[in-house]
C-alpha cells in the first residue's frame, strides 16, 4: 500500500473546537450559578438584618411603653399623656403607642 493512496479513516471522538465550545458553555453555566448564589446569599443576609432590627425596635417600643405606664401615664388614645403630679408636661404619643408594627399586644 502506498502512503498517499491509503484511505483516510474518520476520526472518532471529540474535536478541539467542540471541546472549546463545551468548556466555554460549562464556564458560563458555573459563573451564572455562582452569581445567583451570591445574589441570594446577599438578599438573605439583608433580610435577616432587617428582621433583627424590626425585632429590636418592637422590643424597645414595648419597653418604653411599659415604662411610661409604670411612670403613671394614662395611655388614653387621642389625648395627651400627662404624668401623675406633673406640672404641664404633655406628651402626644397616642399614635406611637398604638403602632401595630412597633408594639405587639
Amino acid at each position: 500500500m502506498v502512503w498517499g493512496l491509503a484511505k483516510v479513516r474518520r476520526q472518532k471522538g471529540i474535536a478541539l473546537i467542540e471541546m472549546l465550545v463545551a468548556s466555554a458553555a460549562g464556564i458560563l453555566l458555573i459563573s451564572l450559578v455562582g452569581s445567583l448564589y451570591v445574589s441570594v446569599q446577599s438578599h438573605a443576609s439583608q433580610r435577616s438584618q432587617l428582621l433583627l432590627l424590626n425585632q429590636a425596635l418592637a422590643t424597645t417600643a414595648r419597653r418604653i411603653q411599659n415604662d411610661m405606664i409604670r411612670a403613671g401615664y394614662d395611655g388614653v388614645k387621642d389625648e395627651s399623656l400627662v404624668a401623675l403630679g406633673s406640672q404641664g408636661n404633655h406628651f402626644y404619643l397616642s399614635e406611637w403607642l398604638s403602632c401595630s408594627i412597633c408594639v405587639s399586644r
Side-chain angles (χ1 to χ4, degrees), residues 2-75:
V2 181
W3 289 98
L5 299 176
K7 284 188 172 182
V8 179
R9 293 186 188 176
R10 283 199 153 266
Q11 178 185 0
K12 293 181 181 180
I14 300 174
L16 179 61
I17 190 73
E18 292 170 338
M19 186 62 122
L20 289 173
V21 169
S23 295
I27 289 172
L28 180 64
L29 182 65
I30 289 172
S31 66
L32 286 174
V33 169
S35 174
L36 180 66
Y37 176 77
V38 168
S39 175
V40 167
Q41 284 297 103
S42 174
H43 179 70
S45 175
Q46 289 175 352
R47 182 73 176 152
S48 176
Q49 288 176 351
L50 180 64
L51 289 173
L52 287 173
L53 183 62
N54 282 340
Q55 185 179 14
L57 179 62
T59 301
T60 303
R62 192 170 36 252
R63 284 183 180 178
I64 291 173
Q65 181 183 16
N66 290 338
D67 287 346
M68 290 178 69
I69 290 170
R70 273 186 249 132
Y73 290 99
D74 55 6

